[in-house]
């Protein structure tokens, strides 16, 4: 085994152990999408009529429509939280420790992102199982087909969080990030309403939604859950990942100074 | 060259100059103290030596490897203990150390052997199964020092490692690290506490980003105590300013 692989494995194991030992975090990560699914969607079902659009081949209830968006939401929160914890609490120390490893910095940051992504997939697995328990089912093989897509979408959203953590100093708390990153990304996407529904209310909103990388992540997840290929969504998600990762690497370039404000 | 060489390193945060032409070396087999009051630039220097920051001018050489030209070879020879604890409180001591061993490419048997050896050196072997949260402050610090030794570094950097510890733990850890230096490692120990320094230790006095003196502690102290000499060097200037 090469040192690269050993380090990747170590980072992933640490993240998984930390996650499993923090039951509160696990519960919070589950309760959030479940509230949306069981309360919001139930109430909203009456208000929103959905026509048959791909990948759906029959009429679906709103609960069924919203599931891929909530899966995306789990990854969105996860990506922001794990990266922001780097800035705000003692995790900054563990980041310093990570970066003293003699492996290339891009690999270390990638390992960190992949570890966070795998943790988000654990959360999603439990969420989908609970949804299934409430009668909200996807294609049986879709649960497998979505796995590689979730790796990509998780990496993309994690890279965005990492970039934000490295640069933006004004958003000094999680509420700021909620308001200015998570909410706009989530609401201006196809997570809650399909694009054509948005277009009915405002073409501008529709265009913003269509541009939002989160929309493409959600659509890639949605199609995979129904065993359908959505090339454009995967392409835009991959491109966004490349862009965010490049930005994050720039943000963590030692010549720019990761801890400029912090070192005394 | 097996120790650490810092040559003419400067660093600024915007217009504020944090380090100004800092040069010194820490030789193998010696406990070199980096002595300076708070705000002298010690932490900035540590960020530069661990490549969290890159100096715009000057050179840092670790065991013969230039940190700017061969960062990976240089980092592989450095062990670091940061001022802020960097511990996963919910993991066991051994799990935490395995994580760090993995970061340095050690796994399986080799990792376990290295971890046992490092724990033995700090007298921590019997605690390897405990949760880090259950350890007291002194043992947590010892664990961090053990962690820094796993990959057998040539240079050990410690940034005020006794902050927040009681007198007994402080003394024990200082003695442990002196032993490590006696074993052949180059140790750089940043502190503002003179009682952690022995008369034969080389001392670099850092004040307002500049090196004021480089000499053995006994030489700096002269006829007075090291503490009084240190105050005269730094505090006196402060009072005059």
């Amino acid at each position: 085994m090469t040192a690269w692989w050993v380090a990747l494995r170590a980072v992933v194991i640490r993240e998984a152990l930390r996650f499993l030992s923090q039951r509160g975090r696990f519960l919070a990560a589950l309760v959030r999408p479940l509230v949306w699914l069981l309360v919001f969607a139930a109430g909203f079902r009456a208000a929103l009529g959905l026509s048959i659009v791909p990948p759906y081949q029959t009429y679906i209830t709103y609960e069924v429509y919203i599931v891929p968006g909530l899966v995306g939401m789990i990854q969105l929160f996860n990506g922001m939280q794990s990266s922001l914890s780097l800035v705000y609490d003692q995790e900054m120390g563990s980041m310093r420790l990570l970066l003293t490893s003699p492996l290339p910095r891009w690999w270390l940051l990638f390992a960190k992102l992949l570890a966070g992504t795998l943790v988000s997939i654990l959360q999603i697995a439990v969420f989908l199982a609970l949804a299934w328990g409430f009668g909200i089912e996807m294609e049986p093989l879709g649960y497998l087909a979505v796995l590689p897509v979730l790796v990509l979408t998780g990496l993309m959203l994690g890279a965005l969080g990492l970039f934000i953590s490295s640069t933006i100093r004004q958003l000094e708390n999680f509420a700021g990030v909620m308001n200015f990153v998570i909410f706009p990304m989530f609401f201006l996407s196809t997570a809650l309403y399909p694009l054509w529904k948005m277009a009915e209310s405002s073409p501008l909103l529709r265009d913003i939604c269509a541009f939002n990388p989160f929309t493409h992540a959600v659509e890639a997840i949605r199609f995979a859950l129904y065993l359908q290929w959505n090339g454009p969504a995967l392409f835009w998600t991959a491109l966004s990942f490349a862009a965010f990762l490049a930005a994050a690497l720039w943000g963590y370039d030692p010549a720019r100074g990761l801890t400029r404000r912090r070192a005394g | 060259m097996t120790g650490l060489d810092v040559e003419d390193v400067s660093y600024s945060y915007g217009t504020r100059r944090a380090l100004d032409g800092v040069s010194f070396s820490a030789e193998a087999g010696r406990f070199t103290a980096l002595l300076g009051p708070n705000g002298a630039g010690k932490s900035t220097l540590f960020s530069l030596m661990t490549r969290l920051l890159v100096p715009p001018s000057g050179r840092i050489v670790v065991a013969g490897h230039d940190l700017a030209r061969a960062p990976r070879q240089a980092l592989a020879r450095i062990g670091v203990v940061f001022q802020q604890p960097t511990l996963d409180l919910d993991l066991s001591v051994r799990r935490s150390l395995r994580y760090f061993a993995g970061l340095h490419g050690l796994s399986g048997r080799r990792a376990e052997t290295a971890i046992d050896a490092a724990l033995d050196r700090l007298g921590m072997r019997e605690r390897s199964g405990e949760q880090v949260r259950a350890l007291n402050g002194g043992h947590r610090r010892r664990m961090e020092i053990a962690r820094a030794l796993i990959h057998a570094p040539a240079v050990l950097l410690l940034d005020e490692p006794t902050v927040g510890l009681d007198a007994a733990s402080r003394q024990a850890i200082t003695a442990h690290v002196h032993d490590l230096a006696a074993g052949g490692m180059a140790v750089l120990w940043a502190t503002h506490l003179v009682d952690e320094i022995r008369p034969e230790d080389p001392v670099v006095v850092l004040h307002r980003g500049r090196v004021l003196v480089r000499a053995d502690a006994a030489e700096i102290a002269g006829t007075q105590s090291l503490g009084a000499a240190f105050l005269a060097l730094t505090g006196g200037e402060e009072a005059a300013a």
Side-chain angles (χ1 to χ4, degrees):
Chain A
M1 265 195 302
T2 68
W4 292 46
W5 170 245
V6 170
L8 175 70
R9 208 185 53 169
V11 173
V12 168
I13 290 175
R14 166 177 180 265
E15 205 73 33
L17 287 173
R18 263 164 49 85
F19 179 72
L20 294 174
S21 65
Q22 296 171 349
R23 296 224 177 78
R25 195 176 142 204
F26 189 44
L27 270 179
L30 267 182
V31 165
R32 200 178 298 118
L34 280 178
V35 166
W36 279 88
L37 185 65
L38 302 177
V39 182
F40 178 83
F44 219 62
R45 168 153 60 164
L48 192 76
L50 290 178
S51 66
I52 301 174
V53 285
Y56 305 108
Q57 277 146 12
T58 173
Y59 281 105
I60 49 158
T61 61
Y62 188 60
E63 284 98 325
V64 172
Y65 178 80
I66 204 179
V67 163
L70 296 179
V71 166
M73 183 173 89
I74 293 175
Q75 291 198 313
L76 181 64
F77 265 90
N78 216 71
M80 297 301 140
Q81 249 167 350
S82 61
S83 299
L84 288 168
S85 67
L86 291 176
V87 181
Y88 300 126
D89 54 32
Q90 69 280 20
E91 268 292 282
M92 191 65 216
S94 89
M95 191 65 171
R96 296 182 76 160
L97 193 70
L98 178 73
L99 296 182
T100 59
S101 158
L103 290 167
R105 192 160 283 197
W106 69 266
W107 178 254
L108 298 169
L109 293 179
F110 174 77
K112 184 98 187 147
L113 287 179
L114 189 67
T117 299
L118 295 179
V119 163
S120 78
I121 291 177
L122 284 182
Q123 296 169 1
I124 289 166
V126 177
F127 169 70
L128 286 176
L130 288 172
W132 185 82
F134 287 109
I136 303 164
E137 298 174 23
M138 310 285 123
E139 285 284 330
L141 283 176
Y143 291 110
L144 279 182
V146 80
L147 284 177
V149 175
L150 288 177
V151 173
L152 178 65
T153 53
L155 286 174
M156 188 269 279
L157 295 168
L160 174 64
L162 198 60
F163 168 58
I164 291 174
S165 76
S166 72
T167 53
I168 299 178
R169 312 266 184 215
Q170 279 77 18
L171 300 180
E172 281 293 337
N173 56 55
F174 194 63
V177 176
M178 288 270 284
N179 286 336
F180 293 106
V181 181
I182 295 184
F183 282 164
M185 273 196 109
F186 182 63
F187 289 118
L188 291 171
S189 77
T190 54
L192 298 179
Y193 340 93
L195 269 187
W196 63 266
K197 202 80 190 168
M198 274 289 191
E200 277 179 7
S201 72
S202 151
L204 176 66
L205 279 185
R206 196 213 82 95
D207 291 343
I208 296 174
C209 288
F211 182 74
N212 183 354
F214 187 65
T215 292
H216 298 292
V218 170
E219 290 311 303
I221 294 167
R222 188 190 309 283
F223 276 69
L225 280 170
Y226 290 89
L227 290 174
Q228 291 186 38
W229 175 258
N230 188 337
L234 287 169
F235 173 75
W236 287 113
T237 307
L239 194 69
S240 307
F241 170 51
F244 293 149
L245 185 64
L249 289 175
W250 173 79
Y252 278 89
D253 178 354
R256 284 189 61 252
L258 160 64
T259 52
R260 248 164 211 278
R261 295 270 180 99
R262 279 152 214 287
Chain B
M1 177 64 213
T2 50
L4 169 79
D5 257 328
V6 175
E7 298 168 13
D8 200 21
V9 165
S10 299
Y11 196 83
S12 303
Y13 297 100
T15 53
R16 190 172 70 81
R17 205 150 181 79
L19 292 175
D20 193 2
V22 169
S23 298
F24 65 89
S25 47
E27 289 168 27
R30 315 240 14 215
F31 179 105
T32 303
L34 180 67
L35 185 60
N38 294 327
K42 298 193 295 289
S43 290
T44 301
L45 192 54
F46 267 76
S47 292
L48 292 168
M49 291 186 296
T50 52
R51 204 169 166 268
L52 287 169
L53 301 174
V54 170
S57 65
R59 229 158 69 98
I60 297 171
V61 182
V62 180
H65 303 288
D66 186 326
L67 192 57
R69 289 212 203 120
R72 292 174 53 192
Q73 284 91 327
L75 283 174
R77 308 310 312 278
I78 299 180
V80 197
V81 178
F82 290 112
Q83 192 175 344
Q84 305 291 340
T86 54
L87 296 163
D88 292 319
L89 298 180
D90 294 317
L91 302 188
S92 75
V93 170
R94 185 170 288 278
R95 280 263 182 222
S96 305
L97 297 182
R98 264 188 212 144
Y99 164 64
F100 186 79
L103 289 184
H104 280 266
L106 295 172
S107 66
R109 273 262 140 260
R110 278 175 64 211
E112 300 305 323
T113 314
I115 289 169
D116 286 340
L119 286 172
D120 277 339
R121 283 173 98 165
L122 274 295
M124 288 281 291
R125 179 79 167 268
E126 71 281 4
R127 305 208 174 252
S128 69
E130 286 182 29
Q131 234 192 11
V132 176
R133 192 182 293 282
L135 301 180
N136 66 29
H139 284 125
R140 287 183 189 184
R141 261 290 122 118
R142 275 205 229 178
M143 188 203 125
E144 287 192 287
I145 296 171
R147 182 176 65 188
L149 299 177
I150 288 175
H151 56 295
V155 176
L156 182 61
L157 307 175
L158 307 102
D159 188 4
E160 303 201 12
T162 58
V163 164
L165 299 183
D166 60 40
S169 305
R170 218 151 68 75
Q171 204 188 10
I173 285 181
T174 312
H176 270 300
V177 177
H178 271 96
D179 290 346
L180 291 173
M185 203 175 279
V187 170
L188 182 69
W189 173 284
T191 185
H192 60 267
L193 302 166
V194 289
D195 63 343
E196 295 172 352
I197 303 169
R198 294 178 183 168
E200 69 277 15
D201 291 335
V203 178
V204 178
V205 178
L206 191 69
H207 185 49
R208 294 184 179 169
R210 289 164 184 270
V211 173
L212 294 186
V213 186
R214 283 178 299 175
D216 285 358
E219 210 176 305
I220 294 176
T223 53
Q224 47 188 345
S225 71
L226 181 61
F230 175 51
L231 272 183
L233 277 167
T234 58
E237 193 183 312
E238 202 107 278

